[in-house]
Amino acid sequence: MKARVYVTLKPSVLDPQGKAIHHAVEGIGYHGITDVRQGKYFEVAVDGSLSPDEARAEVERIARDVLSNPVIEDYRVELDSSTEA
Amino acid sequence: MKFGVVVFPGSNCDHDTYHVISKVIGQPVDFIWHRQDNLSDYDAIILPGGFAYGDYLRTGAIARFSPVMGAVKQFASRGGIVLGICNGFQILCEAGLLPGALLRNDKLKFVCKHVNIRVETTDTPFTLRCQRGQTLSVPIAHGDGNYFCDEQTLDELRRENRIIFRYSDARGLITPEANPNGSLDSIAGICNRERNVLGLMPHPERASEEILSSADGRIIFYSLADTLAELAKAS
């Protein structure tokens, strides 16, 4: 099984990297882009000994305790039980 | 009285800090490897600057799970003095010993230069030798020193007089130009509610001898030594 974890800055936190990317994108000539926010993406492989529910709970814990900092970041976990670990 | 300087894989100011404690202020000090989980021999613990665990994931994010950090938490909860410098400040925030977080510098550049910080209060074991409003010339060297916390936390820090150092100009004025990294309220250093844990981004250990162009930083270490001497007398 594979889980995907998306870690993003809270809306209240400024993202100077996203801003720099946004400026670059505008500078290149792309139109209609109003904002860019940079985040992190993790792929977590889980072995078959865990049920999908257990795997989700485990990855949620990892996302909360390790992969994100609750002061500045939010996270979202997606579980893909169709993939082999 | 004994100081301990924690060494994580990737610490790189551990020897500077050790040098200042042992040679400048002349106090006993040990290096403490990050696997050590007993700090009962020590009176003050310093988390030095550097790039613990390569700053992977986030600055301080992996270091906070080191065995020594469990011991540092216990040590701090019993009133032990803990000082985090630069990466040490980042680790203290990640570990929840100090509130807030250090974000990427607002201009996205690693900034390495001397700055001035203003002492906002002398009511800490780290600043008792200072004068309120005194400016210290100390270097910074970081890419992630942009202090952030939510509004409620900022209110608390202000109300409880826990903002200890702010970036200022040489005369002690807080200006946007004197803020090198975009830190909220020009915050350079804060302490916990009990006032025994302090984190700051500037490097006082790199400005503790005249030959290094400023010896302003050593007042922090002398303050600590005074505090420990008082504690030893009292016990």
Side-chain angles (χ1 to χ4, degrees), chain A residues 12-13 16-17 20 40 42 65-69 71-73, chain B residues 57-58 61 64-65 94 100-101 103-106 108 148-149:
Chain A
S12 58
V13 177
Q17 293 181 98
K40 293 177 187 150
F42 303 86
D65 296 343
V66 183
L67 301 181
S68 69
N69 177 342
V71 176
I72 50 171
E73 292 166 330
Chain B
L57 190 56
R58 299 177 304 278
R64 74 174 258 231
F65 294 108
E94 277 284 339
L103 301 174
R104 182 62 52 91
N105 292 346
D106 62 345
L108 297 173
F148 174 86
C149 62

